[in-house]
């Protein structure tokens, strides 16, 4: 298939690489060209804009940082829909707002094009190992066309409903991740203060009712002092902000989410936005958590 | 081995059953005799008190509800240490306070007896399937003697250090469980409000970075409307109270734990103390969560 792939950061690079390796014809565009160097070396073609990446392609896939980027890439003056011969299928895999997913689908439909939302979970590891969970919203016929591509990039692919349903599912996912992250940091902090070996604690709790992906996969990174991304704090702050806005719109009171969002905003305000989400432990260790109680 | 087993509730019944099935000689005592009926039918002998259950036994194991019960069973006038010929090894598998575990070890040592703390994780399912995680504190020689028994009841057995270290590890475990429970409830509430099929949401998030034991094992019970214990709310309130007291003593500020403890206390105050911990969803569904913000 002829694919335009836009956004080759930590996640996108691995995902595009799997599509290339599976024999697809890729044109790539990303903000910083050097981040596409590996893919270009593997046979991908370079495009100077999202529009150029999308021209004469079957599908355009976006995997970028923020909803504003998604909007620009697809709906902007140099966007995928601006070309003379746009793809018949747009797939946004960024974690973005359900409302943008719906308006993108509506704008695309007005030109006879399908747009689906397909955010992912599993982090850099899931992207590298093609074991991502992919949560898909959109018209079934379009989703069905995209399935072979999803199966190359992920392992658990679930069709959730109309446009926006993928993003809503990702919000539920991030609510879970945020509470797991708080739990992991607090358990490690407690174990260290109580004089336990925190690695033994992780071993002891990782197979029972306390088991989480975070304690199994990120706690060891935390205990190694490895706070590199993985998944950026600044992107997680964005995700939790979307989840808070959406839950407020839905009339929900979610104190766990609200508390985690406060902690992550404070972490970002301390200049750690480009660290991995496991860097929350640093805020706990320096006692910065108390400061959130008055935010 | 000749074992006195005290406390045959939801968890203890299964654990004692595995010891019986493995060929050990069991005397059992529990507050409500009918809860021991199955075990008596399988060949266990009945004792009218903890002291009687412990008399002329090699080991006494306690698996009860609250620290006050543990204290009475081992240190009370009818306790295991009160008999003319007490066991040489006491194993408390209740989730209790680290300080009680230490004083029990000290009191026992004064009589030449070893006492170890070995709380478990894995719930009713883990107890039934002998797949519990067991977190062990105490003198290594005593722990080594207990290992064959632990291996009958559990799968992941970790020696954490001196008396009390097992209980401290269990507190770290409960901190993780409490945040997972909050996350699961908030994700389900969000998914339902957003119009998603919550079972599909659970399927979509259960294999990625959001995966938790709770979302995999308790969310399906929640969605089936099954709020039976499992693990009692009133016992979880006790555990979180211990964790809060211990973390305050250690000078820690753990807002996730504090928030979860508020929610569970409110749930108990509504008369749901004898439901399973997954009943937290009921508090969320009825909007009771907002009330905790002023507690």
């Amino acid at each position: 298939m002829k694919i335009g792939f836009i956004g080759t950061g930590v996640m996108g690079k691995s995902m595009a690489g799997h599509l290339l390796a599976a024999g697809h014809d890729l044109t790539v565009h990303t903000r910083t060209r050097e981040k596409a160097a590996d893919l270009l070396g593997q046979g991908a073609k370079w495009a100077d804009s999202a529009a150029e990446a999308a021209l004469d392609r079957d599908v355009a896939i976006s995997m970028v940082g923020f909803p504003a980027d998604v909007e620009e890439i697809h709906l902007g003056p140099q966007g995928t829909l601006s070309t003379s011969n746009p793809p018949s299928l747009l797939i946004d895999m960024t974690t973005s707002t359900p409302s943008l997913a719906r308006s993108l689908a509506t704008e695309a439909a007005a030109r006879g094009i399908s747009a689906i939302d397909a955010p992912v979970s599993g982090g850099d590891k899931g992207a590298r190992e093609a074991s991502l969970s992919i949560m898909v919203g959109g018209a079934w016929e379009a989703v069905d066309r995209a399935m072979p591509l999803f199966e190359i990039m992920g392992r658990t692919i679930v069709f959730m409903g109309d446009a926006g349903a993928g993003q809503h599912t990702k919000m539920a996912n991030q609510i879970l991740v945020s509470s797991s992250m708080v739990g992991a940091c607090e358990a490690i902090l407690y174990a260290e203060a109580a004089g336990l070996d925190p690695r033994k604690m992780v071993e002891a709790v990782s197979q029972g009712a306390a088991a989480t992906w975070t304690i199994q996969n990120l706690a060891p990174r935390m205990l190694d002092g490895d706070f590199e991304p993985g998944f950026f704090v600044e992107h997680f702050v964005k995700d939790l902000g979307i989840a808070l806005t959406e839950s407020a719109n839905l009339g929900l009171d979610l104190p766990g989410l609200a508390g985690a969002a406060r902690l992550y905003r404070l972490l970002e305000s301390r200049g750690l936005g480009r660290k991995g989400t496991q860097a929350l432990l640093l805020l706990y260790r320096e006692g910065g958590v108390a400061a959130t109680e008055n935010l």
Side-chain angles (χ1 to χ4, degrees), chain A:
Chain A
M1 216 179 269
K2 289 187 287 181
I3 301 171
F5 199 106
I6 300 140
T8 58
V10 176
M11 304 282 293
K13 187 170 77 168
S14 295
M15 293 158 68
H18 294 308
L19 294 173
L20 258 183
H24 289 287
D25 174 356
L26 252 70
T27 300
V28 300
H29 173 69
T30 200
R31 200 174 295 158
T32 313
R33 184 171 172 156
E34 66 231 39
K35 290 195 179 168
D38 286 353
L39 292 167
L40 299 177
Q42 290 157 43
K45 289 177 292 257
W46 175 254
D48 279 325
S49 68
E52 194 184 316
L55 182 67
D56 297 328
R57 305 267 104 191
D58 302 310
V59 182
I61 300 176
S62 51
M63 181 65 188
V64 294
F66 295 89
D69 303 322
V70 175
E71 199 165 358
E72 192 191 343
I73 282 165
H74 295 293
L75 302 174
Q78 287 293 307
T80 58
L81 288 176
S82 72
T83 69
S84 55
N85 183 25
S88 58
L89 177 60
L90 308 180
I91 307 174
D92 180 35
M93 304 188 77
T94 313
T95 297
S96 172
T97 67
S99 57
L100 178 57
R102 284 190 298 268
S103 58
L104 186 55
T106 305
E107 296 278 337
R111 302 196 50 184
I113 293 168
S114 300
I116 64 183
D117 48 305
V120 306
S121 172
D124 56 333
K125 187 164 176 273
R128 271 199 313 278
E129 297 174 357
S131 63
L132 293 169
S133 293
I134 308 180
M135 304 154 218
V136 192
W140 170 247
E141 304 72 36
V143 172
D144 196 35
R145 274 186 66 202
M147 271 299 170
L149 303 178
F150 293 152
E151 282 162 6
I152 291 166
M153 297 182 279
R155 187 181 294 154
T156 305
I157 299 130
V158 185
F159 174 58
M160 295 301 302
D162 291 340
Q167 296 296 352
H168 272 312
T169 307
K170 182 63 190 283
M171 290 302 118
N173 187 90
Q174 297 306 66
I175 289 169
L176 286 160
V177 169
S178 72
S179 62
S180 290
M181 202 65 77
V182 166
C185 289
E186 297 193 0
I188 288 173
L189 206 74
Y190 179 92
E192 289 176 338
L196 302 175
D197 176 340
R199 289 172 205 274
K200 280 199 172 179
M201 179 279 288
V202 169
E203 181 195 344
V205 305
S206 282
Q207 302 308 318
T212 65
W213 184 93
T214 302
I215 199 81
Q216 290 165 342
N217 290 276
L218 292 185
R221 292 194 200 179
M222 293 179 191
L223 294 173
D224 288 342
D226 173 7
F227 299 106
E228 293 311 300
F231 186 61
F232 288 122
V233 166
E234 66 183 18
H235 288 163
F236 200 47
V237 168
K238 173 258 301 182
D239 293 0
L240 298 183
I242 297 170
L244 277 172
T245 303
E246 293 293 326
S247 56
N249 289 344
L250 295 166
L252 300 176
D253 197 345
L254 305 181
L257 168 63
R262 279 195 298 274
L263 292 173
Y264 271 101
R265 279 196 301 263
L266 184 61
L267 184 64
E268 188 183 31
S269 78
R270 299 210 172 174
L272 297 175
R274 300 290 287 176
K275 293 291 178 188
T277 49
Q278 73 274 22
L280 183 61
L281 184 65
L282 298 175
L283 188 71
Y284 272 95
R285 279 200 178 141
E286 68 187 39
V289 168
T292 62
E293 281 157 30
N294 299 315
L295 290 186

